Amino acid sequence: MDWLAKPVTKLNYTLVFTAPAEAFWVQMKVGLIVGIFLSAPVILWQVWALLLQAYTATRRSTRCPS
């Protein structure tokens, strides 16, 4: 977490945690946000593939009725 606090400490401020578990929750929130950011392209690709498959199946069934 030093890389996260470095900009604050350069300005001669100190980080203050008001609750015992606050430092832990800051790490959890940063990890969650970074995880969502890094996995977003894969998730969006999967959603796009699902929607494209549904669109082509619907389009195929309306073009060639049996």
Side-chain angles (χ1 to χ4, degrees), residues 31-47:
L32 179 68
I33 291 169
V34 169
I36 290 172
F37 180 75
L38 291 177
S39 66
V42 175
I43 293 170
L44 292 174
W45 177 270
Q46 292 295 321
V47 169

Side-chain angles (χ1 to χ4, degrees), residues 6-36:
K6 191 175 280 191
V8 176
T9 55
K10 278 186 178 180
L11 297 173
N12 295 328
Y13 291 113
T14 58
L15 295 176
V16 177
F17 297 110
T18 58
E22 191 172 359
F24 171 74
W25 284 114
V26 167
Q27 291 181 359
M28 294 300 288
K29 287 178 186 179
V30 169
L32 179 68
I33 291 169
V34 169
I36 290 172

Side-chain angles (χ1 to χ4, degrees), residues 47-58:
V47 169
W48 178 254
L50 177 69
L51 293 176
L52 187 63
Q53 180 182 6
Y55 174 71
T56 55
T58 304

